[in-house]
Amino acid sequence: SKEALAAIIGSESNITTAYFDRKKEELWLGTEEAGAFHLKVKPSLQLIAKFNNSNSKLKSNTVNTIFIDYSGEVWIGTEEGVMVGKGSRWSLEEKLVSFNRVTEQGGYIWLLGNGFIWKVNSRGDWVPVDIDPKKLEGEAKDIALDSLGRLWIASEIITLYD
């Protein structure tokens, strides 16, 4: 219910993103000002953990995106970097970048932040994806991967990066 959620995240917190972990049947919420929340949903909403700039490696409490990869690592994209980890092992990456999308395909994590796109391999190597500026109109705003592993980039137009 609205009241149960407000009791956990605060009545003044605006939700910006959500991710449901189907394997564990748990919900992750990102907010505009209060950080990220990890919740049990059964038998009712219950807080598992809260992550913010005073109790974690997050530099910003503005959460733009949350994603859980094939290995169970959680990616929390904020206005000041992306926090990656699980359990008690977390790191903050690229803290000067505002991340707004994380996705996965073919063993790679794909990230979009500040109009730039990166591909991260299983060893944690970050590789910038070189997009021809002529293929975009304005800054890249979102990315999506299709079933063939092709990257679609949304700017003022849609571009296929193969």
Side-chain angles (χ1 to χ4, degrees), residues 141-155:
K141 296 178 182 179
D142 204 352
I143 57 175
L145 291 151
D146 66 21
S147 61
L148 300 175
R150 299 177 303 180
L151 179 68
W152 293 86
I153 305 165
S155 58

Side-chain angles (χ1 to χ4, degrees), residues 104-118:
E104 176 181 24
Q105 179 83 23
Y108 290 95
I109 304 298
W110 296 76
L111 298 103
L112 171 67
N114 289 12
F116 297 99
I117 300 169
W118 290 269

Side-chain angles (χ1 to χ4, degrees), residues 92-152:
L92 183 68
E93 306 292 336
E94 302 293 335
K95 59 187 166 204
L96 300 178
V97 177
S98 175
F99 286 93
N100 49 0
R101 175 66 71 215
V102 182
T103 190
E104 176 181 24
Q105 179 83 23
Y108 290 95
I109 304 298
W110 296 76
L111 298 103
L112 171 67
N114 289 12
F116 297 99
I117 300 169
W118 290 269
K119 205 163 95 164
V120 181
N121 65 23
S122 59
R123 293 183 311 276
D125 300 323
W126 287 60
V127 178
V129 177
D130 188 25
I131 307 295
D132 183 347
K134 294 179 200 145
K135 303 264 184 179
L136 301 175
E137 280 188 22
E139 190 174 276
K141 296 178 182 179
D142 204 352
I143 57 175
L145 291 151
D146 66 21
S147 61
L148 300 175
R150 299 177 303 180
L151 179 68
W152 293 86

Side-chain angles (χ1 to χ4, degrees), residues 1-10 13-31 34-51 66 68 74 76 90:
S1 74
K2 185 176 182 180
E3 293 78 23
L5 183 60
I8 294 170
I9 70 170
S13 295
N14 293 321
I15 296 171
T16 54
T17 189
Y19 186 92
F20 189 77
D21 183 344
R22 289 187 178 129
K23 289 180 188 171
K24 296 182 177 179
E25 294 199 353
E26 296 171 349
L27 181 65
W28 287 79
L29 296 176
T31 65
F37 296 82
H38 181 197
L39 307 167
K40 282 185 181 181
V41 295
K42 290 181 181 177
S44 61
L45 281 182
Q46 183 180 355
L47 182 66
I48 296 171
K50 177 180 179 178
F51 301 87
I66 298 174
I68 300 176
V74 180
I76 302 173
W90 294 85

Side-chain angles (χ1 to χ4, degrees), residues 34-85:
F37 296 82
H38 181 197
L39 307 167
K40 282 185 181 181
V41 295
K42 290 181 181 177
S44 61
L45 281 182
Q46 183 180 355
L47 182 66
I48 296 171
K50 177 180 179 178
F51 301 87
N52 59 40
N53 62 6
S54 63
N55 73 357
S56 72
K57 293 189 178 188
L58 287 180
K59 295 288 182 222
S60 169
N61 285 333
T62 303
V63 177
N64 300 324
T65 187
I66 298 174
F67 183 79
I68 300 176
D69 69 21
Y70 61 93
S71 70
E73 282 200 316
V74 180
W75 298 72
I76 302 173
T78 75
E79 292 292 305
E80 296 180 52
V82 63
M83 189 172 80
V84 184

